[in-house]
Amino acid sequence: MDRSIYARLDDVTLSFGEHVILKNCSLDIVRGAITCIVGLSGAGKSTILRLLDGLIEPSNGHVYVDGHDLCHTPERKLVDLRQKTSLAFQFAALLDSLTIGENVGLPLREHTALPDEKIRHIVDDALESVGLRHIYDSLPSELSGGMLKRAGFARAIVTRPELVLYDEPTTGLDPIVTNLITDTILRLRQKLDGTAVVISHDLHSIFRMADYVAMLFEGAIIAYGPREEIRTSTNPFVQQFLTGSEVGPIPV
Amino acid sequence: MRLLERFGDRTIAFLEYLGGIVSLIGESIRSLVHAQIRFAETFVQSYELGLGSLLIVLLTSLFTGMVISLESAQQAVQFGIGSLVGGAVTYTSVRELGPMLTAVVVAGRVGSAIAAEIGSMVVTEQIDALRSMGLSPVRFLVVPRLLALAIMLPLLTIFADIISIVGGMWIAQAYAHINPATFISSARQAVGFDDVVKGLVKALVFACIIAFVGCYQGLSTRGGAAGVGRATTSAVVISIILIFGTNFIMSYLLFGAH
């Protein structure tokens, strides 16, 4: 695989029973870039993140991350490969019973032999980098939606992964917090010097942070390219999606 | 034809369930063999699952012992064998009702709580988050709960046995004027140390049933809040049926020869 490509979906089909989620879907994730995936609700965007994180296996095709094929890989080997990737969940998915600090530090406690003071220092640094100070001892139930998402980001980056996957980071947030989240993703990409994939419906946010944009429709990528190329695309599907029009090839 | 299809679907679903439970047991044993145990979490779970159930176990066992004593004393006094009431109460409590009632109470209280907690973690993607961080949900969640129940259910059973016998003794004295010394003497003749141990072996097996069924139902939760509700109900129903069935088989195997 080309060194400039960090991850790849190669002719992936995924179905649950009769329900086909992805159909011959191929996508390259460029190393060091932010790739945003857009598409209708329920199109299978989050499924792509789960495939890239090795949480699910495709029915057919291959998923490569940093040159490794995740398909038919034993769970133990996947555990090692997942050290390179990290998934920031839509609703943060922090463990209710742990404090924010314990949540963020969990991967370090479980996978490293670092002393507590060092872990505390790294966790504080991760929280600081997402703009959250002094919440180490708070419980997830005590935080707002935007703060929870950022705490989820802190957990995702605490091990300094090479690929960070963001699942709808701005959904359900007001414009100010949406901007804050977008800034945070851009800042984290700089800090980690890594690759990111973002699922989002927020076009303003997407065109601020994306290097590449891919559009998913009916289980396949129908448009992919640099941000400006997609913005000015004449593809009627892309145009209808970007303008939000009810008239066009996408059935409403 | 439809009947056959339905039978086939049910059979496949049952085999899938069985396969899931066996796989969960296998993974738990692997974690235990490799000593991948979270001791702090196991201690917390022992406290919450075990001590939290103590009062309800004591109350149900006390009343059960009292009612056995009441019924048997009434009959025994009529036939002039009141001195055997202690044996009847102790025999029934230690060999059957102590382990089984404790397990049923814990299945209702703890099995449902385990399924609800893990089920909620599934629908809020916390289990996916664990896997995404390279952490095994079995090592992280199942093993501590299994160990906690395996330690606490036999302990609760010992308390249940004692309080059941004490309650029986009290009623025997108050209702049938049976002397406590006579009651204890009869109890010691009727029940040996091996009976107590066999009762605790039953408790250990019931603990595994409650833990595995509760965890499996939780981990296989689908469909949001309604799914959590279904998982919780199923965990209790399946655990209780398995406890009753296993109790019969174990009674046959452990005590059947006598």
Side-chain angles (χ1 to χ4, degrees):
Chain A
M1 196 161 74
D2 185 347
R3 279 292 296 160
S4 66
I5 303 301
Y6 186 79
R8 168 175 286 166
L9 263 65
D10 185 13
D11 204 22
V12 164
T13 296
L14 178 73
S15 52
F16 295 110
E18 309 248 309
H19 185 46
V20 179
I21 314 271
L22 298 174
K23 194 175 174 186
N24 305 115
C25 179
S26 294
L27 174 68
D28 285 346
I29 306 297
V30 176
R31 190 183 292 271
I34 295 182
T35 302
C36 288
I37 303 174
V38 298
L40 300 177
S41 300
K45 302 184 295 295
S46 299
T47 304
I48 289 180
L49 297 192
R50 280 167 168 69
L51 285 165
L52 289 169
D53 202 27
L55 291 175
I56 49 175
E57 265 202 14
S59 315
N60 274 308
H62 294 274
V63 179
Y64 299 97
V65 172
D66 199 21
H68 300 279
D69 188 353
L70 302 188
C71 302
H72 314 299
T73 304
E75 184 68 21
R76 259 175 258 176
K77 174 87 173 149
L78 278 178
V79 167
D80 293 336
L81 291 174
R82 284 196 195 113
Q83 306 297 316
K84 295 182 173 196
T85 63
S86 206
L87 176 54
F89 287 82
Q90 185 176 355
F91 299 105
L94 299 172
L95 304 186
D96 298 328
S97 54
L98 304 182
T99 66
I100 297 299
E102 288 167 342
N103 262 293
V104 175
L106 188 59
L108 296 174
R109 281 186 207 287
E110 295 291 330
H111 293 303
T112 70
L114 291 172
D116 284 353
E117 307 85 64
K118 180 72 179 164
I119 290 176
R120 173 74 196 230
H121 178 72
I122 297 171
V123 169
D124 282 340
D125 184 50
L127 287 171
E128 175 88 41
S129 64
V130 295
L132 292 175
R133 285 185 188 177
H134 313 305
I135 62 156
Y136 190 96
D137 294 317
S138 302
L139 286 168
S141 57
E142 295 165 351
L143 302 190
S144 69
M147 289 170 88
L148 270 179
K149 292 208 181 202
R150 283 185 287 152
F153 292 0
R155 184 178 66 185
I157 58 139
V158 78
T159 52
R160 301 190 71 86
E162 293 170 10
L163 172 65
V164 185
L165 309 162
Y166 297 93
D167 191 2
E168 304 209 20
T170 56
T171 301
L173 300 176
D174 63 67
I176 296 168
V177 178
T178 297
N179 261 335
L180 183 69
I181 294 276
T182 309
D183 287 341
T184 307
I185 292 172
L186 285 165
R187 204 169 52 243
L188 292 178
R189 193 266 294 259
Q190 269 192 330
K191 181 185 167 89
L192 296 172
D193 194 23
T195 309
V197 180
V198 184
I199 302 291
S200 181
H201 292 289
D202 189 309
L203 296 177
H204 177 70
S205 166
I206 287 165
F207 286 116
R208 266 193 67 207
M209 66 180 149
D211 297 304
Y212 294 89
V213 179
M215 182 169 169
L216 185 67
F217 181 69
E218 293 190 341
I221 300 294
I222 57 159
Y224 171 79
R227 173 176 57 187
E228 286 311 313
E229 198 176 290
I230 294 295
R231 199 204 295 265
T232 55
S233 168
T234 53
N235 182 324
F237 288 92
V238 177
Q239 275 307 308
Q240 187 187 352
F241 188 82
L242 296 185
T243 57
S245 169
E246 290 178 19
V247 182
I250 301 174
V252 181
Chain B
M1 199 64 189
R2 270 197 189 149
L3 196 70
L4 266 179
E5 265 178 33
R6 201 181 295 173
F7 177 74
D9 287 347
R10 289 277 167 92
T11 308
I12 289 168
F14 174 74
L15 290 175
E16 276 179 359
Y17 186 88
L18 208 62
I21 289 268
V22 169
S23 162
L24 188 65
I25 293 170
E27 212 177 320
S28 303
I29 291 172
R30 196 164 59 221
S31 277
L32 286 168
V33 168
H34 291 125
Q36 295 173 327
I37 299 164
R38 299 173 69 235
F39 289 104
E41 178 67 8
T42 303
F43 180 78
V44 170
Q45 291 297 328
S46 299
Y47 181 82
E48 287 182 2
L49 305 183
L51 280 186
S53 306
L54 184 60
L55 183 63
I56 185 169
V57 165
L58 290 182
L59 284 173
T60 49
S61 303
L62 175 71
F63 289 122
T64 307
M66 285 164 65
V67 84
I68 297 169
S69 181
L70 188 70
E71 296 287 349
S72 54
Q74 209 171 26
Q75 300 292 324
V77 168
Q78 264 186 5
F79 292 102
I81 49 170
S83 60
L84 298 181
V85 172
V89 171
T90 310
Y91 189 88
T92 321
S93 297
V94 169
R95 289 168 59 133
E96 298 297 335
L97 290 180
M100 203 175 72
L101 272 183
T102 306
V104 168
V105 167
V106 171
R109 188 187 169 275
V110 174
S112 59
I114 289 174
E117 185 186 3
I118 296 180
S120 300
M121 291 179 76
V122 169
V123 299
T124 55
E125 298 183 313
Q126 291 177 48
I127 300 295
D128 278 345
L130 284 175
R131 291 183 58 221
S132 176
M133 286 185 278
L135 304 176
S136 157
V138 172
R139 185 179 83 81
F140 206 82
L141 298 168
V142 179
V143 171
R145 282 158 181 78
L146 172 67
L147 286 178
L149 276 170
I151 295 165
M152 296 312 284
L153 198 60
L155 282 177
L156 286 170
T157 301
I158 292 172
F159 283 114
D161 289 348
I162 293 169
I163 200 77
S164 171
I165 294 165
V166 169
M169 190 164 66
W170 175 50
I171 285 295
Q173 187 187 19
Y175 181 74
H177 307 292
I178 296 167
N179 188 310
T182 311
F183 187 98
I184 291 168
S185 164
S186 163
R188 289 178 69 171
Q189 279 180 1
V191 175
F193 182 69
D194 62 323
D195 291 312
V196 178
V197 172
K198 286 171 182 173
L200 296 182
V201 169
K202 278 186 173 183
L204 190 63
V205 173
F206 297 154
C208 294
I209 289 173
I210 297 166
F212 284 126
V213 171
C215 290
Y216 183 75
Q217 290 300 134
L219 287 170
S220 52
T221 298
R222 298 287 176 272
V228 176
R230 279 193 297 273
T232 308
T233 309
S234 303
V236 176
V237 171
I238 294 170
S239 294
I240 288 177
I241 291 171
L242 285 177
I243 286 166
F244 274 83
T246 310
N247 184 55
F248 170 75
I249 294 167
M250 289 186 70
S251 289
Y252 181 78
L253 293 175
L254 295 171
F255 306 119
H258 298 290

